[in-house]
Coordinates of all heavy atoms in Angstrom, one line a residue:
Chain B
R37 N 5.3 2.9 1.5 CA 5.2 3.4 2.8 C 6.5 3.4 3.5 O 6.9 4.3 4.1 CB 4.2 2.6 3.6 CG 2.8 3.3 3.7 CD 1.9 2.5 4.6 NE 2.3 1.1 4.8 CZ 1.5 0.2 4.7 NH1 0.2 0.3 4.4 NH2 1.8 -1.1 5.0
R38 N 7.2 2.2 3.4 CA 8.4 2.0 4.2 C 9.5 3.0 3.9 O 10.1 3.6 4.8 CB 8.8 0.6 4.2 CG 8.0 -0.3 5.1 CD 8.2 -1.8 4.9 NE 7.5 -2.3 3.7 CZ 6.3 -2.8 3.9 NH1 5.7 -3.0 5.1 NH2 5.6 -3.3 2.8
T47 N 7.5 6.6 11.9 CA 7.3 5.1 11.9 C 6.3 4.8 10.8 O 5.5 5.6 10.4 CB 6.9 4.6 13.2 OG1 5.5 5.1 13.5 CG2 7.8 5.0 14.3
E48 N 6.4 3.6 10.3 CA 5.5 3.2 9.3 C 4.0 3.4 9.6 O 3.2 3.9 8.9 CB 5.8 1.7 8.9 CG 4.9 1.2 7.8 CD 4.9 -0.3 7.6 OE1 5.9 -0.9 8.1 OE2 4.0 -0.9 7.2
R49 N 3.7 3.0 10.9 CA 2.3 3.0 11.3 C 1.8 4.4 11.4 O 0.6 4.7 11.0 CB 2.1 2.3 12.6 CG 0.7 2.1 13.0 CD 0.1 1.3 11.8 NE -1.3 0.9 12.1 CZ -2.3 1.7 12.0 NH1 -2.0 2.9 11.6 NH2 -3.5 1.3 12.3
S50 N 2.5 5.3 12.0 CA 2.1 6.7 12.1 C 2.0 7.4 10.8 O 1.1 8.2 10.6 CB 2.9 7.5 13.1 OG 4.2 7.5 12.7
R52 N 1.1 5.9 8.3 CA 0.0 5.3 7.7 C -1.3 6.1 8.1 O -2.2 6.4 7.3 CB -0.2 3.9 8.1 CG -1.0 3.0 7.2 CD -0.7 1.6 7.6 NE -1.8 0.8 7.2 CZ -1.7 -0.5 7.5 NH1 -0.7 -1.1 8.1 NH2 -2.8 -1.3 7.2
T53 N -1.4 6.5 9.3 CA -2.6 7.3 9.7 C -2.6 8.6 9.1 O -3.7 9.1 8.7 CB -2.6 7.5 11.3 OG1 -1.4 8.0 11.7 CG2 -2.8 6.2 12.0
P68 N -1.9 -0.3 -5.8 CA -1.1 -1.5 -5.5 C 0.4 -1.4 -5.8 O 1.2 -2.1 -5.3 CB -1.8 -2.6 -6.3 CG -3.1 -2.1 -6.7 CD -2.9 -0.6 -6.9
S69 N 0.7 -0.5 -6.7 CA 2.1 -0.4 -7.1 C 2.7 0.8 -6.4 O 3.9 1.2 -6.8 CB 2.1 -0.2 -8.6 OG 1.6 1.1 -9.0
Chain C
dA17 P -7.2 8.2 15.9 OP1 -7.1 9.6 15.4 OP2 -7.7 7.3 15.1 O5' -5.7 7.9 16.3 C5' -5.1 8.5 17.4 C4' -3.8 7.8 17.9 O4' -4.2 6.5 18.5 C3' -2.9 7.5 16.7 O3' -1.6 7.8 17.1 C2' -3.0 6.0 16.6 C1' -3.3 5.5 18.0 N9 -4.0 4.3 18.1 C8 -5.2 3.9 17.5 N7 -5.6 2.7 17.7 C5 -4.7 2.2 18.6 C6 -4.5 1.0 19.3 N6 -5.4 0.0 19.1 N1 -3.5 0.8 20.1 C2 -2.6 1.8 20.2 N3 -2.6 3.0 19.6 C4 -3.7 3.2 18.8
dC18 P -0.4 7.7 16.0 OP1 0.5 8.9 16.3 OP2 -1.0 7.5 14.7 O5' 0.3 6.4 16.5 C5' 0.7 6.3 17.8 C4' 1.3 4.9 18.0 O4' 0.1 3.9 18.0 C3' 2.2 4.3 16.9 O3' 3.5 4.1 17.5 C2' 1.6 3.1 16.4 C1' 0.6 2.7 17.5 N1 -0.6 1.9 17.1 C2 -0.8 0.6 17.6 O2 0.1 0.2 18.4 N3 -1.9 0.0 17.2 C4 -2.7 0.5 16.3 N4 -3.8 -0.3 16.0 C5 -2.5 1.8 15.8 C6 -1.5 2.4 16.2
dG19 P 4.7 3.9 16.6 OP1 5.8 4.8 17.1 OP2 4.4 4.0 15.2 O5' 5.1 2.4 16.8 C5' 5.2 1.9 18.2 C4' 5.2 0.4 18.1 O4' 3.9 -0.2 17.9 C3' 6.2 -0.2 17.1 O3' 7.0 -1.2 17.7 C2' 5.2 -0.7 16.0 C1' 4.0 -1.1 16.8 N9 2.7 -1.0 16.1 C8 2.3 0.0 15.3 N7 1.1 -0.3 14.7 C5 0.8 -1.5 15.2 C6 -0.4 -2.2 15.0 O6 -1.4 -2.0 14.3 N1 -0.3 -3.5 15.6 C2 0.6 -3.9 16.4 N2 0.5 -5.1 17.0 N3 1.8 -3.2 16.7 C4 1.8 -2.0 16.0
dT20 P 8.1 -2.0 16.8 OP1 9.1 -2.3 17.8 OP2 8.4 -1.1 15.7 O5' 7.3 -3.2 16.3 C5' 6.5 -4.0 17.2 C4' 5.8 -5.0 16.5 O4' 4.6 -4.6 15.8 C3' 6.6 -5.7 15.3 O3' 6.8 -7.1 15.5 C2' 5.8 -5.4 14.0 C1' 4.4 -5.3 14.6 N1 3.5 -4.5 13.8 C2 2.2 -5.0 13.5 O2 1.8 -6.1 13.9 N3 1.5 -4.2 12.7 C4 1.8 -3.0 12.2 O4 1.0 -2.3 11.5 C5 3.1 -2.5 12.6 C7 3.5 -1.2 12.0 C6 3.8 -3.3 13.3
dC21 P 7.9 -7.9 14.7 OP1 9.0 -8.2 15.5 OP2 8.1 -7.1 13.4 O5' 7.0 -9.2 14.3 C5' 6.7 -9.4 12.9 C4' 5.3 -9.8 12.8 O4' 4.5 -8.6 12.7 C3' 5.0 -10.5 11.6 O3' 4.8 -12.0 11.9 C2' 3.7 -10.0 11.0 C1' 3.4 -8.9 11.9 N1 3.1 -7.6 11.1 C2 1.8 -7.4 10.5 O2 1.0 -8.3 10.6 N3 1.6 -6.3 9.8 C4 2.5 -5.3 9.7 N4 2.2 -4.2 9.0 C5 3.8 -5.5 10.3 C6 4.1 -6.6 11.0
dC22 P 5.3 -13.0 10.8 OP1 5.4 -14.3 11.4 OP2 6.4 -12.4 10.0 O5' 4.0 -13.0 9.8 C5' 2.7 -13.1 10.4 C4' 1.7 -12.9 9.3 O4' 1.6 -11.5 9.0 C3' 2.0 -13.5 7.9 O3' 0.9 -14.2 7.5 C2' 2.4 -12.4 7.1 C1' 1.5 -11.2 7.6 N1 2.0 -9.9 7.3 C2 1.1 -9.0 6.8 O2 0.0 -9.3 6.5 N3 1.6 -7.7 6.5 C4 2.8 -7.4 6.8 N4 3.2 -6.1 6.5 C5 3.7 -8.3 7.4 C6 3.3 -9.6 7.7
dA23 P 1.2 -15.4 6.4 OP1 0.8 -16.7 7.0 OP2 2.4 -15.2 5.7 O5' 0.0 -15.0 5.3 C5' -1.3 -14.7 5.8 C4' -2.0 -13.9 4.7 O4' -1.4 -12.5 4.6 C3' -1.8 -14.5 3.2 O3' -3.0 -14.4 2.6 C2' -0.8 -13.6 2.6 C1' -1.1 -12.2 3.3 N9 0.1 -11.3 3.4 C8 1.3 -11.6 3.8 N7 2.2 -10.6 3.8 C5 1.4 -9.6 3.2 C6 1.7 -8.2 2.9 N6 2.9 -7.6 3.1 N1 0.7 -7.5 2.3 C2 -0.5 -8.1 2.2 N3 -0.9 -9.3 2.4 C4 0.1 -10.0 3.0
dC25 P -5.0 -11.9 -4.4 OP1 -6.3 -11.8 -4.8 OP2 -4.2 -13.3 -4.7 O5' -4.1 -10.8 -5.0 C5' -4.3 -9.4 -4.6 C4' -3.2 -8.5 -5.1 O4' -2.0 -8.7 -4.4 C3' -2.9 -8.8 -6.6 O3' -3.0 -7.6 -7.4 C2' -1.4 -9.2 -6.5 C1' -1.0 -8.6 -5.2 N1 0.2 -9.1 -4.6 C2 1.4 -8.4 -4.5 O2 1.4 -7.2 -4.8 N3 2.4 -9.0 -3.9 C4 2.4 -10.3 -3.5 N4 3.5 -10.8 -2.9 C5 1.2 -11.1 -3.7 C6 0.2 -10.5 -4.2
dA26 P -2.9 -7.7 -9.0 OP1 -4.1 -7.0 -9.5 OP2 -2.7 -9.0 -9.4 O5' -1.7 -6.7 -9.3 C5' -1.7 -5.4 -8.8 C4' -0.3 -4.8 -9.0 O4' 0.6 -5.4 -8.1 C3' 0.2 -4.9 -10.4 O3' 0.7 -3.6 -10.8 C2' 1.2 -5.9 -10.4 C1' 1.7 -5.8 -8.9 N9 2.2 -7.1 -8.3 C8 1.5 -8.3 -8.3 N7 2.3 -9.1 -7.7 C5 3.5 -8.6 -7.4 C6 4.7 -9.0 -6.8 N6 4.9 -10.3 -6.3 N1 5.7 -8.1 -6.6 C2 5.6 -6.9 -7.0 N3 4.5 -6.4 -7.7 C4 3.5 -7.2 -7.8
dC27 P 1.0 -3.2 -12.3 OP1 0.7 -1.9 -12.5 OP2 0.5 -4.3 -13.1 O5' 2.6 -3.4 -12.3 C5' 3.3 -2.7 -11.3 C4' 4.8 -3.1 -11.4 O4' 5.0 -4.4 -10.7 C3' 5.3 -3.3 -12.8 O3' 6.5 -2.6 -13.0 C2' 5.6 -4.9 -12.9 C1' 5.9 -5.2 -11.4 N1 5.5 -6.6 -11.1 C2 6.5 -7.4 -10.4 O2 7.5 -6.8 -10.0 N3 6.2 -8.6 -10.0 C4 5.0 -9.2 -10.4 N4 4.8 -10.5 -10.0 C5 4.1 -8.5 -11.2 C6 4.4 -7.2 -11.5

Side-chain angles (χ1 to χ4, degrees):
Chain B
R37 257 186 342 229
R38 280 168 278 267
T47 64
E48 182 192 335
R49 193 56 178 78
S50 58
R52 203 163 152 184
T53 53
S69 69

